[in-house]
């Protein structure tokens, strides 16, 4: 602790001040500032501003353990540019498998499957124009738009499957809004007509936000559809 | 403001008394030991590492948000910064890994258009061929999906109930048959609308799935595949 003190004085009133008296005062000051030097005891708390510290001086050893708490790291709930760790700070490929604890990505960590569904009971149509049998609304996630699977499968009602009498013809459509994504043509070939019991189409063009998916039928002839369920599933990856 | 100001207790023509010198010295002592220096007495960029005590930079010394992106060097975070197993379950927020975070991992063929065959040997359906190049051999699911006005039908040009349609899906890269569907001679089996398949053993690298149809042994007639696509999705 370099508490500064002058040497015992060598002068007194009524005496002539000699050169050595003043030299001693000077040397005390010079020694204190140049040799002994000042330390923390001579600096006010908070007295050293950042501007007085030479850039690059705060090395690891100067940082107290556990002092860099989350609030010291630049963060922003909405602006990426204000966040400390951007993609450029991370070496490509360096978040390695080894960094993940075994079985760390549990099912709870996975986002919910985004899907919409609606069941429809057994219905019969005699349709000369297109009619909507059932529809559901799927809100496609924001960000990169994934494809959507559109599926109709038998439901659990035990109802009859899709049937179309004789050689009647028509079109069963799976649609997004007014856009047909896939359709099944009931058509006669050599006296036979194929009837689907499971249909699947791939929508590669949904918009972010709400999309209405539907199953429709258009004649000219009639059709009977048993209990089925319509699914619109945003594909996970 | 920590400015050193030394009084002047003497005048021109007067003697310089002991008390004068004592007062001036006392002011210097007080400044150095009591008032103490602060930023007013320090030049900018005065202190380098040598002058900073170890552990001197405590949390309180760091202003909030001091560690900005610009303070982190490009490629500052390397694998060796992250301890093995550091990313535990608890570190990952529930439902954080959404579908949008997972890269596309599917492939879809072009449409078959209107394809017909009467061959009793295995015949590849036009355009129903697709496959991913994968780096990890994980199972693959696949389906025949419908395009516009699709149908899949085995008819008997001679009449009667002879179906005998066989549909094969093969991974031509591995040689594995991943689906082998036989529509027998039974009218109730007519409803073929899709084939789903599962390949538990794709190969690392390219995989090529192809769909073949056959008018089965002893069968006659024609198979029509209209406007289908082959869609696969790897898990």
């Amino acid at each position: 602790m370099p508490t500064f003190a002058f040497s015992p004085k060598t002068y007194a009133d009524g005496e002539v001040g000699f050169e050595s008296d003043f030299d001693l005062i000077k040397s005390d000051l010079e020694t204190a500032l140049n040799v002994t030097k000042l330390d923390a005891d001579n600096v006010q708390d908070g007295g050293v501003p950042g501007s007085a510290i030479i850039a690059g001086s705060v090395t690891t050893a100067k940082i107290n353990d556990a002092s860099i708490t989350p609030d010291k790291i630049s963060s922003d709930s909405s602006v990426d540019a204000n966040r400390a760790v951007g993609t450029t700070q991370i070496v490509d490929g360096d978040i390695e498998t080894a960094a993940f604890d075994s079985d760390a990505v549990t099912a709870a960590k996975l986002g919910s499957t985004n899907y919409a569904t609606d069941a429809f009971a057994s219905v019969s149509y005699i349709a000369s124009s297109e009619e909507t049998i059932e529809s559901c609304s799927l809100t496609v996630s924001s960000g990169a738009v994934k494809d959507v699977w559109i599926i109709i499968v038998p439901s659990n009602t035990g109802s009859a499957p899709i049937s179309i009498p004789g050689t009647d013809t028509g079109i069963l459509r799976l649609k997004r809004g007014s856009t047909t994504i896939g359709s099944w043509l009931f058509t006669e070939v050599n006296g036979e007509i194929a009837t689907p019991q499971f249909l699947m189409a791939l929508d590669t063009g949904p918009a972010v936000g709400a999309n209405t998916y539907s199953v429709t039928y258009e004649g000219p002839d009639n059709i009977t559809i048993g209990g089925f369920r319509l699914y619109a599933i945003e594909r996970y990856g | 403001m920590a400015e050193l100001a030394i009084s002047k207790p003497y005048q021109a023509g007067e003697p310089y008394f002991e008390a004068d010198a004592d007062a001036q010295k006392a002011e210097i002592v007080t400044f150095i030991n009591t008032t103490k220096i602060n930023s007013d007495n320090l030049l900018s960029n005065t202190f380098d590492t040598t002058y900073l005590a170890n552990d001197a930079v405590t949390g309180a010394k760091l202003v909030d948000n001091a560690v900005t992106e610009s303070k982190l060097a490009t490629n500052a975070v390397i694998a060796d910064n992250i301890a093995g197993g550091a990313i535990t379950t608890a570190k990952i927020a529930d439902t954080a890994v959404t579908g949008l975070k997972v890269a596309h991992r599917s492939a879809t063929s072009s449409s078959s258009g209107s394809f017909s065959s009467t061959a009793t040997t295995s015949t590849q359906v036009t355009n129903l061929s697709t496959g991913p190049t994968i780096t990890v051999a994980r199972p693959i699911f696949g389906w025949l999906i419908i395009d516009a006005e699709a149908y899949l039908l085995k008819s008997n040009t001679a009449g009667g109930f002879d179906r005998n349609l066989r549909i094969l899906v093969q991974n031509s890269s591995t040689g594995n048959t991943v689906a082998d569907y036989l529509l027998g001679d039974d009218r109730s089996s007519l409803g073929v609308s899709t084939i789903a398949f599962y390949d538990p053993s794709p190969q690392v690298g390219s995989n090529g799935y192809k769909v073949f149809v056959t008018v089965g042994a002893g069968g006659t007639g024609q198979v029509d595949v209209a406007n289908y696509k082959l869609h696969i999705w790897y898990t």
Side-chain angles (χ1 to χ4, degrees), chain B residues 10-206:
Chain B
Y10 49 84
Q11 299 294 324
E14 294 181 350
Y16 184 62
F17 293 104
E18 176 187 4
D20 297 335
D22 288 349
Q24 291 183 315
K25 287 166 64 179
E27 288 170 350
I28 294 172
V29 169
T30 296
F31 178 79
I32 294 176
N33 296 334
T34 305
T35 304
K36 301 182 180 178
I37 64 174
N38 67 12
S39 59
D40 296 327
N41 313 109
L42 298 171
L43 292 172
S44 294
N45 297 320
T46 299
F47 299 112
D48 64 14
T49 297
T50 304
Y51 294 94
L52 297 177
N54 287 344
D55 300 328
V57 182
T58 62
K61 303 306 180 188
L62 292 172
V63 69
D64 287 352
N65 298 314
V67 183
T68 61
E69 183 174 357
S70 61
K71 302 307 177 188
L72 296 176
T74 297
N75 294 333
V77 180
I78 63 175
D80 288 348
N81 297 132
I82 305 171
I87 303 175
T88 60
T89 299
K91 304 303 179 189
I92 304 171
D94 285 350
T95 71
V97 185
T98 63
L100 293 178
K101 304 305 180 187
V102 180
H104 274 280
R105 52 187 200 282
S106 67
T108 307
S109 75
S110 301
S111 173
S112 65
S114 295
F115 173 87
S116 293
S117 175
T118 58
T120 55
T121 55
S122 186
T123 304
Q124 185 184 342
V125 179
T126 303
N127 288 337
L128 293 192
S129 175
T130 191
T133 296
I134 58 178
T135 55
V136 177
R138 296 180 62 83
I140 289 177
F141 286 99
W143 300 267
L144 292 178
I145 62 173
I146 59 173
D147 196 18
E149 299 191 1
Y151 59 89
L152 199 166
L153 178 66
K154 164 64 173 61
S155 61
N156 191 345
T157 54
F161 299 149
D162 172 26
R163 311 296 167 206
N164 283 317
L165 166 62
R166 190 175 194 181
I167 305 172
L168 287 176
V169 182
Q170 293 181 329
N171 183 339
S172 59
S173 301
T174 62
N176 295 332
T177 295
V178 295
D180 186 351
Y181 181 87
L182 179 64
L183 177 64
D185 187 8
D186 181 348
R187 190 175 181 80
S188 64
S189 302
L190 182 59
V192 183
S193 55
T194 193
I195 295 292
F197 61 89
Y198 173 74
D199 183 358
S201 306
Q203 68 176 10
V204 172
S206 63

